Amino acid sequence: MMGMLIYEAAISCFEFCAEDIIWYDDGDVEKIDGILNKYPYHVYNWYSDRIDLYTKTDEEILFVMQGDSPNGAYSARTETAYQEIDRLIGGIGER
């Protein structure tokens, strides 16, 4: 349940968000694992095997839908937090 609440906040409640879906490969996900902290929660739904949730300071969230072509997006509560997560992982993956 906690994972679902975090996911819903990431896609609908945080004011600052990436405009595009970002496509990742396995190397990209490994880079993210080394930069951000993965929540112990996962979300499962009909279109993705698993959605992993990441953060750095709890002011921002990245979700990555795992599967054949991992993809995701990130968002933040404040503009400062958004700029920081964008600085950390904005160059990873393809938009």
Side-chain angles (χ1 to χ4, degrees):
M1 183 60 135
M2 180 61 80
M4 192 62 196
L5 293 173
I6 294 169
Y7 174 72
E8 287 296 321
I11 63 170
S12 61
C13 296
F14 287 0
E15 182 177 354
F16 301 93
C17 59
E19 296 288 325
D20 302 316
I21 296 293
I22 306 159
W23 300 94
Y24 299 110
D25 61 30
D26 291 336
D28 294 333
V29 174
E30 288 177 20
K31 288 178 191 174
I32 291 166
D33 283 336
I35 296 170
L36 300 178
N37 304 312
K38 188 189 291 188
Y39 279 102
Y41 319 109
H42 304 288
V43 177
Y44 297 91
N45 61 22
W46 63 272
Y47 59 87
S48 176
D49 294 337
R50 184 183 77 231
I51 300 172
D52 291 330
L53 306 164
Y54 295 85
T55 191
K56 187 69 172 179
T57 67
D58 292 331
E59 291 292 313
E60 69 289 309
I61 188 98
L62 163 71
F63 68 88
V64 177
M65 293 183 278
Q66 301 294 340
D68 294 336
S69 299
N71 65 82
Y74 51 90
S75 59
R77 294 178 199 196
T78 66
E79 186 174 3
T80 302
Y82 180 81
Q83 290 171 350
E84 180 62 11
I85 195 169
D86 190 56
R87 183 186 69 77
L88 292 170
I89 64 167
I92 300 173
E94 282 188 45
R95 293 176 190 243

